[in-house]
Amino acid sequence: MSSLALYRRYRPESFAEVIGQEHVTDPLQQALRNNRVNHAYLFSGPRGCGKTTSARILARCLNCEQGPTPTPCGECQSCRDLARNGPGSIDVIEIDAASHGGVDDARELREKAFFGPASSRYKIYIIDEAHMVTSAGFNALLKVVEEPPEHLKFIFATTEPEKVIGTIRSRTHHYPFRLVPPGTLREYLGEVCGREKIPVEDGVLPLVVRAGAGSVRDSMSVMDQLLAGAREEGVTYAMATSLLGYTDGSLLDSVVEAFATGDGAAAFEVVDRIIEGGNDPRRFVADLLERLRDLVILAAVPDATEKGLIDAPADVLERMQAQAGTFGAAELSRAADLVNEGLTEMRGATSPRLQLELICARVMLPAAYGDERSVMARLARLERGVNFSAGAGAPAMGYVPGPEAHGVPAGGGAAAARAAVRGPGGAAGPGPAQAVAPTGVGAGGPSGQVAPAAQPAPGGQPVPTGPAMPAAAAPQPPSVEQPQAPASAPAAGPAPGAWPTATTAGSGRRPGGWPTAAPA
């Protein structure tokens, strides 16, 4: 096995082998076919995307004995010298501008450039990291770049084209390189692993592509590291997550399911496992944000997998589809916003665990916030009708179930009834033993008031409650003591905000204490 790095062993030798840069390689090949090659080129783009490799391929195409040609023969002396593991050509000079970017280096290059090539068609200068050339160095090269001899070609490669002075840029053909798409890069890595004859588990390649961030060289370096540490079974998913520092998918599934069901105990247990396992909380939050992004897309685009919007193994996609169905669109959007804000706050935080726990609490407590996102999240939960109880007899964090979700324990009395409908913050919500006052004229009280729970009868015996009790036998609410009116004054109605007292015959009130329409 060769000791060369993986990206060096599989460096492309022709434009057809360059991946993800067809917008550059196709015009260059056509220019070679038409014999309209410029005297100076500027290749720019992110690191590891093929700028220097393409410059070497262009030099190989120009100096091939059958060229200039878009497909070098690979048999002539020039092609062999400029091959992947070739010795190099004396007529193709590569200069690292990071260490040779001064004015003296530019003057030396200018003096040597006018001498013809030793054995090739062209003398080609490949200036890597061209943005490191000083302004004085560029000015020293300006004249020879503007009007070079017929045998001279320049190829500048840089990650920061804006730092190349405008007088040089205006005299070159500028080709911007781009990051390689994830799907293209994943297929290429799969082919490389097949050539290396080392098995790789499903789910490893997406992690490598994510770690490479669209850079072919960075992705190949990560893949090389994984292949170097592979055992008989090959590269496993657990090995990749451990080595690359990514969060295991099971932890992400657990915390997402805890968010969906409002299970605070499960969410904080995941946080504890992350910290005790030595994982970076910031990395976990970044991975969680990535998962929520996928769920948002799945909720909005059901066929996102077929359209290639999500890159994940089949089993992970099935779990994410189930999770997207459990969440509502409003809840997903709110959770993603909160996690994104929390990730920004975690930069430079002295206690990452505390920040992570606060993020989980915010996501599971929509009732604690009055903004539009939280209101929409609560409405989504109510529309789904999901019981968000965190345990037996304990309501979920920030969620007060509706009347149909409560049951008053038998024989518990008023205290049990109030406890059954009390929210997390201590305020009682409407329950089955309460009645909502109707709105409008004749309501007998302010709009939206709620009748109190049933109280024991004056005799001390509790009044039976339940849906089977007929309406006529419904208990009367306790009378509210009112100050005695003067004998001559007419009887006053109930005070604002007070509950109506028991009614008498002919008073126009129903047996339950609620006022009816006024008698004619």
Side-chain angles (χ1 to χ4, degrees), residues 347-368:
R347 296 173 181 171
T350 57
S351 178
R353 173 172 184 162
L354 176 60
Q355 294 292 332
L356 177 55
E357 291 173 340
L358 290 177
I359 291 173
C360 295
R362 292 168 185 165
V363 171
M364 290 187 297
L365 282 174

Side-chain angles (χ1 to χ4, degrees), residues 116-454:
S119 60
S120 303
R121 183 178 295 108
Y122 296 104
K123 177 179 280 190
I124 303 172
Y125 282 94
I126 300 176
I127 303 177
D128 204 3
E129 304 295 335
H131 61 277
M132 301 295 290
V133 179
T134 63
S135 298
F138 273 129
N139 290 326
L141 287 176
L142 180 58
K143 192 63 177 178
V144 70
V145 173
E146 182 180 6
E147 298 177 359
E150 291 293 331
H151 64 268
L152 190 61
K153 303 291 183 184
F154 283 97
I155 305 176
F156 298 94
T158 177
T159 57
E160 303 178 37
E162 67 278 357
K163 292 186 178 180
V164 178
I165 62 176
T167 51
I168 293 289
R169 288 204 309 268
S170 64
R171 289 159 175 81
T172 63
H173 286 185
H174 184 195
Y175 287 92
F177 285 67
R178 303 170 184 167
L179 294 173
V180 180
T184 304
L185 190 53
R186 186 179 65 253
E187 294 177 1
Y188 179 71
L189 291 175
E191 294 176 2
V192 171
C193 293
R195 295 180 189 177
E196 293 292 316
K197 299 180 179 179
I198 298 179
V200 177
E201 281 189 359
D202 293 338
V204 173
L205 293 183
L207 293 180
V208 175
V209 170
R210 184 179 173 189
S215 170
V216 181
R217 185 177 62 223
D218 292 356
S219 300
M220 293 286 280
S221 298
V222 173
M223 195 75 250
D224 195 8
Q225 184 179 3
L226 293 176
L227 294 178
R231 299 183 179 180
E232 292 78 5
E233 65 273 15
V235 182
T236 62
Y237 179 79
M239 170 189 171
T241 55
S242 176
L243 187 60
L244 300 180
Y246 287 115
T247 306
D248 189 88
S250 61
L251 292 176
L252 294 176
D253 293 334
S254 299
V255 74
V256 168
E257 291 169 2
F259 288 166
T261 58
D263 192 349
F268 291 113
E269 181 182 354
V270 172
V271 173
D272 185 71
R273 289 168 58 189
I274 292 168
I275 301 301
E276 294 298 328
N279 297 321
D280 184 9
R282 298 176 184 85
R283 168 69 75 177
F284 172 76
V285 175
D287 294 342
L288 177 59
L289 182 60
E290 185 79 12
R291 171 61 65 87
L292 291 175
R293 171 260 179 197
D294 292 341
L295 294 179
V296 169
I297 292 179
L298 279 175
V301 186
D303 58 343
T305 305
E306 289 76 9
K307 293 184 177 180
L309 299 178
I310 296 177
D311 182 21
D315 56 339
V316 178
L317 285 174
E318 292 179 1
R319 292 198 299 269
M320 288 195 298
Q321 287 174 348
Q323 292 167 1
T326 304
F327 267 107
E331 290 180 273
L332 279 174
S333 177
R334 175 181 176 273
D337 289 341
L338 290 176
V339 172
N340 185 37
E341 294 171 2
L343 181 61
T344 304
E345 294 174 358
M346 290 182 74
R347 296 173 181 171
T350 57
S351 178
R353 173 172 184 162
L354 176 60
Q355 294 292 332
L356 177 55
E357 291 173 340
L358 290 177
I359 291 173
C360 295
R362 292 168 185 165
V363 171
M364 290 187 297
L365 282 174
Y369 300 89
D371 58 308
E372 183 179 356
R373 296 179 306 176
S374 302
V375 172
M376 295 300 296
R378 295 200 297 270
L379 288 176
R381 289 186 176 184
L382 291 175
E383 289 175 354
R384 293 204 319 272
V386 179
N387 184 14
F388 283 86
S389 61
M397 299 181 62
Y399 177 74
V400 180
E404 68 280 358
H406 289 292
V408 181
R418 288 192 298 268
V421 298
R422 191 173 302 278
Q434 296 173 328
V436 179
T439 58
V441 181
S447 175
Q449 290 198 27
V450 181

